[in-house]
């Protein structure tokens, strides 16, 4: 397709001269481009297609970067990137060395705040607005938050303070009735009730205009009504929760009507008070498959544009987890599933159909999910909280205070553990092990294979006590070595036990370690591998076996600080181990976006890097 208008947009200033018809054509071009690049690179399709008109209108009315725009989560910022000088690089989005799939201040001064997790935009934007006010800067600050993010508590912490700001502060509520899965809870119902009654704002402004035109008494009557606590005021003004928090509410507005959007944005721009503009959009707008099933097209890999079918659809850990949990729930009526708006992403779509009464989607509220699960557990249920590793970070206090301290038997199914690839630094699952290692009386499993996941999940529910985590990577399982049977849930040795060097690892890196052993064997070098599956607590017998080797090399797909490797080292010291011990892990950096394979290579955690490192150790020795 020829992008006649889009290709000429070098900055938001280029939008100012375009009329509404041209802006509509621009939106059509943007949609075509979004579908084209995401079908190749993967990424967040539905969310980006839903905010095209809103983003274009936003840059038409406001003046970025002088005016600050803060996206919540940021997965819907692709259009924003194209309109702010990055169109020429948009084909590199989510590729190594290319644009990030999320806002990044290092990419552009039009990205006011980095994002990747939900419910942060209002707090961040309010901080920006306050800093501007203190310096005398009268530019605008705009937070864009989805209705899904309004299920997260931090959004209300921000709203609770936002009403105190005097002016030039705007919250845009992008209401598409979805987060990733369909929204749940009272706020979703409340927003639906507002959407169904758009007349009240028109009535309010119509009445004010009529009163202002009455001679002598009209304006005073209007002011009296504004100050009144009578029922008349509530009939006329029908305050929303946002009004009561101090933000003037405007809307709802059709988020795909350019004229209405521009008029609404100009209205809130002229407001003397902080305000919230309610915009209703359709997730996946303009691409039939995404419109019909926006959850499945929320975050996608490469796909066929004509059919909507994924290019690759291999079995993955999330699906295996979901099937196994259904099987366990069939066997025991106490088994429950909890998710924070991620039923599809974590493989629970079948569970909700089969065991609806034992399925709980709490919205984007990981803190609540953990404490809620602890309440279930302390009263006889067996809750499993399925959560991405990166989002588990948001519930650390609750894991300690509400779950572990009370010895609640809560199972965490930690999806996307380790390197996640193209979603980059905000989504890498590299911190959960360090977090959980610091919590007393916690058990953590990190299987490498599907059968190991199934067995670990069963043990976690029915044999372990207290807080238990079963962590597993994104995607499918690695290659199994020849003669390998089922995965042991504790530890196992693989390879030549008479070798001088022992490689210790866990999770999917075991497959890399096996390949590294084969590379070394071709060079005439022997290697033994200690594969851990239960990584907390580490079995003392595994450490005793390791202490018999002259050299121990630990490779870990996680942060070095607080790592399993550090715990293993301490246990070796207690056994007076006198050999050589070295660790390769992620050391004091945030890992950027790239493919999983490329990232593992960069971190020295792929098979070839392992083998080279081990052989270099032998040479230097």
């Amino acid at each position: 397709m020829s992008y006649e208008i889009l290709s000429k947009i070098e900055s938001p200033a280029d939008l100012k001269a375009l009329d509404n018809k041209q802006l509509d054509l621009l939106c059509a071009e943007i949609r075509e481009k979004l579908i084209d690049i995401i079908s190749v690179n993967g990424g967040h399709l539905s969310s980006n297609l839903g905010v095209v008109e809103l983003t274009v209108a936003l840059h038409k009315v406001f003046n970025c970067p002088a005016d600050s725009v803060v996206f919540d989560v940021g997965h819907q910022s692709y259009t924003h990137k194209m309109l702010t000088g990055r169109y020429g690089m948009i084909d590199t989005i989510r590729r190594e060395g290319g644009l990030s799939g999320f806002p990044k201040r290092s990419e552009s001064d039009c990205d006011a705040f980095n994002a990747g997790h939900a419910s942060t935009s209002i707090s961040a934007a309010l901080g920006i607005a306050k800093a501007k006010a203190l310096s005398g800067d009268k530019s605008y600050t705009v937070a864009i938050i989805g209705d899904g993010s309004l299920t997260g508590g931090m959004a209300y912490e921000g709203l609770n303070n936002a009403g105190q700001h005097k002016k030039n502060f705007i919250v845009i509520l992008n209401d598409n009735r979805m987060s990733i899965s369909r929204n749940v809870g009272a706020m979703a119902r409340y927003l639906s009730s507002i959407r169904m009654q758009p007349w009240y704002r028109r009535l309010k402004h119509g009445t004010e205009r009529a009163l202002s035109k009455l001679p002598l008494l009209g304006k005073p009557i209007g002011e009296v009504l504004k100050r009144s606590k009578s029922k008349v005021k509530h009939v006329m003004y029908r305050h929303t929760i946002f009004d009561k928090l101090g933000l003037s509410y405007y809307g709802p507005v059709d988020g795909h009507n350019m004229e209405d959007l521009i008029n609404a944005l100009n209205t809130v721009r002229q407001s003397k008070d902080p305000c919230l503009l309610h915009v209703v959009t359709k997730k996946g707008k303009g691409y039939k498959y995404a419109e019909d099933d926006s959850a499945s097209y929320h975050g996608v890999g490469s796909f066929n544009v004509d059919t909507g079918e994924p290019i690759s659809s291999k079995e993955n850990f999330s699906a295996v987890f979901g099937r196994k949990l259904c099987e366990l729930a069939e066997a025991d009526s106490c088994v429950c599933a909890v998710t924070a708006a991620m039923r599809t992403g974590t493989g629970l779509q079948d569970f909700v159909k089969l065991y609806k009464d034992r399925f709980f989607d709490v919205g984007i509220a990981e803190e609540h999910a953990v404490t809620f699960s602890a309440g279930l557990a302390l009263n006889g249920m067996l809750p499993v909280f399925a959560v991405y590793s990166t989002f588990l970070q948001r519930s650390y206090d609750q894991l300690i205070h509400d779950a572990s301290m009370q010895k609640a038997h809560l199972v965490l199914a930690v999806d996307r553990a380790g390197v996640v690839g193209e979603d980059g630094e905000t989504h890498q699952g590299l911190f959960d092990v360090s977090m959980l290692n610091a919590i007393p009386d916690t058990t953590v499993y990190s299987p490498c294979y599907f059968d190991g996941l199934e067995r670990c999940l069963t043990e976690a529910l029915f044999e372990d006590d207290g807080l238990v985590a079963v962590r597993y990577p994104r995607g499918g399982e690695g290659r199994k070595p020849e003669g390998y049977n089922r995965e042991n849930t504790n530890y196992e040795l693989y390879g030549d036990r008479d070798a001088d060097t022992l490689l210790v690892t866990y999770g999917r890196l075991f497959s890399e370690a096996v390949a590294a052993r084969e590379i070394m064997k071709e060079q005439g070098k022997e290697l033994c591998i200690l594969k851990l599956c239960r990584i907390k607590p580490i079995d003392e017998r595994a450490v005793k076996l390791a202490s018999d080797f002259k050299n121990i090399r630990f490779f870990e797909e996680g942060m070095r600080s607080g790592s399993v490797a550090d715990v293993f080292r301490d246990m070796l010291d207690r056994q007076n181990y006198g050999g050589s011990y070295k660790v390769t892990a992620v050391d004091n950096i945030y890992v950027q976006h790239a493919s999983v394979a490329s990232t593992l290579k960069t971190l020295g955690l792929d098979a070839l890097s392992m083998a080279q490192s081990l052989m270099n150790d032998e040479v230097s020795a």
Side-chain angles (χ1 to χ4, degrees):
M1 177 177 176
S2 175
Y3 302 104
E4 182 178 349
I5 301 176
L6 177 59
S7 62
K8 296 176 183 176
I9 303 297
E10 297 181 0
S11 76
D14 295 329
L15 297 177
K16 307 301 182 183
L18 301 180
D19 59 28
N20 288 350
K21 183 177 180 180
Q22 291 171 311
L23 293 176
D24 286 337
L25 291 173
L26 172 62
C27 291
E29 292 183 2
I30 290 172
R31 276 201 172 84
E32 288 291 333
K33 187 62 177 176
L34 286 171
I35 295 168
D36 177 53
I37 59 172
I38 297 173
S39 69
V40 176
N41 294 5
H44 292 90
L45 182 63
S46 297
S47 52
N48 279 290
L49 290 174
V51 298
V52 174
E53 286 85 1
L54 174 57
T55 309
V56 170
L58 188 71
H59 284 300
K60 169 75 171 179
V61 172
F62 292 93
N63 299 301
C64 193
D67 295 326
S68 302
V69 176
V70 180
F71 287 92
D72 206 272
V73 185
H75 61 318
Q76 76 286 54
S77 63
Y78 295 14
T79 298
H80 167 76
K81 289 176 184 265
M82 283 192 264
L83 299 177
T84 53
R86 287 168 278 182
Y87 171 71
M89 290 188 66
I90 199 65
D91 288 337
T92 71
I93 200 161
R94 303 180 79 248
R95 291 181 178 175
E96 186 172 3
L99 296 177
S100 168
F102 298 88
K104 267 196 127 171
R105 295 171 64 242
S106 59
E107 278 184 11
S108 170
D109 55 3
C110 290
D111 290 2
F113 198 83
N114 290 5
H117 292 179
S119 310
T120 65
S121 62
I122 298 173
S123 297
L126 184 59
I128 292 169
K130 287 292 185 184
K132 287 182 177 182
L134 289 171
S135 66
D137 184 341
K138 296 183 179 180
S139 63
Y140 294 86
T141 304
V142 182
I144 304 170
I145 186 167
D147 54 322
S149 290
L150 279 185
T151 61
M154 188 176 174
Y156 296 94
E157 296 176 22
L159 283 171
N160 187 51
N161 285 276
Q164 302 171 25
H165 194 74
K166 297 302 181 185
K167 61 185 302 186
N168 296 356
F169 181 75
I170 299 161
V171 176
I172 296 177
L173 170 57
N174 172 36
D175 178 5
N176 56 36
R177 312 184 193 192
M178 296 284 289
S179 46
I180 296 173
S181 302
R182 185 162 294 279
N183 284 332
V184 296
M187 180 51 68
R189 293 192 295 272
Y190 178 73
L191 292 177
S192 179
S193 73
I194 297 177
R195 286 193 298 267
M196 297 304 291
Q197 301 176 60
W199 50 265
Y200 81 88
R201 183 60 61 173
R202 294 197 297 270
L203 172 62
K204 172 186 171 183
H205 289 301
T207 304
E208 288 178 346
R209 287 196 299 271
L211 287 172
S212 68
K213 293 179 181 178
L214 290 177
L216 299 177
L217 296 178
K219 190 171 184 180
I221 290 174
E223 293 302 316
V224 169
L225 284 173
K226 283 184 180 180
R227 295 192 299 269
S228 171
K229 294 183 180 179
S230 70
K231 292 182 179 179
V232 175
K233 172 182 176 179
H234 291 283
V235 170
M236 287 184 52
Y237 285 81
R238 197 173 179 82
H239 277 193
T240 67
I241 185 175
F242 307 111
D243 289 292
K244 292 180 184 297
L245 287 168
L247 288 90
S248 295
Y249 172 87
Y250 293 84
V253 176
D254 182 352
H256 302 296
N257 185 303
M258 187 61 66
E259 182 177 0
D260 286 354
L261 278 171
I262 290 174
N263 288 339
L265 289 169
N266 277 318
T267 297
V268 296
R269 190 173 183 271
Q270 294 165 16
S271 174
K272 295 181 180 179
D273 301 312
C275 47
L276 182 140
L277 174 62
H278 183 178
V279 177
V280 179
T281 62
K282 184 172 181 60
K283 204 169 184 182
K285 176 73 173 177
Y287 185 59
K288 182 182 184 302
Y289 300 108
E291 287 188 15
D292 294 343
D293 187 4
S294 59
S296 296
Y297 286 86
H298 171 78
V300 297
S302 55
F303 63 94
N304 184 302
V305 174
D306 295 329
T307 66
E309 293 294 320
I311 301 300
S312 176
S313 56
K314 295 180 180 178
E315 182 79 307
N316 60 68
F317 278 97
S318 302
V320 172
F321 158 75
R323 284 200 303 272
K324 186 62 179 181
L325 191 63
C326 286
E327 177 187 318
L328 297 175
E330 175 67 21
D332 192 318
S333 61
C334 290
V335 174
C336 301
V338 180
T339 180
M342 298 292 289
R343 71 181 70 176
T344 303
T346 57
L348 293 174
Q349 60 270 28
D350 291 331
F351 193 103
V352 67
K353 296 174 184 176
L354 296 171
Y355 311 104
K356 186 176 181 180
D357 291 343
R358 288 185 273 154
F359 174 81
F360 307 100
D361 185 343
V362 302
I364 305 177
E366 291 84 3
E367 301 96 324
H368 167 61
V370 169
T371 304
F372 170 75
S373 298
L376 286 171
L378 292 171
N379 285 272
M381 303 306 290
L382 290 170
V384 178
F385 175 32
V387 59
Y388 288 7
S389 172
T390 183
F391 301 136
L392 182 66
Q393 297 164 189
R394 297 159 69 87
S395 61
Y396 197 36
D397 177 63
Q398 289 72 25
L399 290 171
I400 297 171
H401 184 272
D402 301 333
S404 177
M405 279 187 185
Q406 301 190 72
K407 302 188 184 303
H409 183 37
L410 162 61
V411 175
L412 305 171
V414 185
D415 202 328
R416 270 63 166 180
V419 172
V420 298
E422 291 83 357
D423 281 340
E425 60 184 345
T426 58
H427 282 62
Q428 305 287 10
L430 298 171
F431 297 94
D432 62 274
V433 169
S434 296
M435 287 168 45
L436 295 168
N437 255 337
I439 303 178
D441 302 319
T442 300
T443 302
V444 183
Y445 295 96
S446 190
C448 180
Y449 301 114
F450 293 156
D451 70 296
L453 167 59
E454 293 175 333
R455 297 183 67 219
C456 289
L457 184 61
T458 304
E459 283 192 21
L461 274 169
F462 301 115
E463 297 183 29
D464 294 316
D465 298 315
L467 182 62
V468 188
V470 181
R471 61 189 305 275
Y472 42 93
R474 183 179 190 177
E477 61 183 358
R479 180 174 63 89
K480 291 184 178 181
E482 185 178 347
Y484 191 89
N485 296 315
R486 66 178 190 168
E487 185 170 7
N488 191 310
T489 59
N490 193 350
Y491 71 89
E492 52 196 314
L493 279 176
Y494 178 81
D496 186 358
R497 297 192 179 201
D498 294 325
D500 288 336
T501 300
L502 177 71
L503 188 158
V504 187
T505 194
Y506 61 87
R508 72 170 155 206
L509 287 194
F510 175 61
S511 291
E512 299 290 338
V514 170
R517 177 177 175 270
E518 292 172 356
I519 293 171
M520 293 189 67
K521 199 165 187 177
E522 291 175 356
Q523 302 296 319
K525 308 291 184 181
E526 293 297 333
L527 176 67
C528 190
I529 302 169
L530 172 61
K531 177 192 175 301
L532 302 176
C533 185
R534 194 186 72 198
I535 57 176
K536 179 180 169 63
I538 300 170
D539 195 312
E540 292 278 359
R541 291 171 296 179
V543 180
K544 182 68 173 66
L545 285 172
S547 65
D548 292 334
F549 289 83
K550 179 180 178 182
N551 306 303
I552 301 175
R553 301 293 179 261
F554 205 120
F555 290 86
E556 182 161 4
E557 191 181 346
M559 302 306 294
R560 171 64 190 267
S561 179
S563 63
V564 177
D566 281 353
V567 175
F568 201 87
R569 167 85 254 191
D570 290 342
M571 294 177 75
L572 283 170
D573 286 345
R574 288 197 292 271
Q575 295 198 17
N576 299 313
Y577 177 66
S580 171
Y581 185 83
K582 290 184 179 180
V583 176
T584 300
V586 183
D587 200 0
N588 204 35
I589 60 170
Y590 292 108
V591 177
Q592 303 301 307
H593 61 280
S595 69
V596 171
S598 178
T599 302
L600 292 178
K601 181 179 180 180
T602 298
L603 296 173
L605 298 173
D606 68 313
L608 183 59
S609 298
M610 288 180 180
Q612 289 175 338
S613 176
L614 293 168
M615 287 188 283
N616 288 340
D617 286 343
E618 289 190 7
V619 170
S620 61

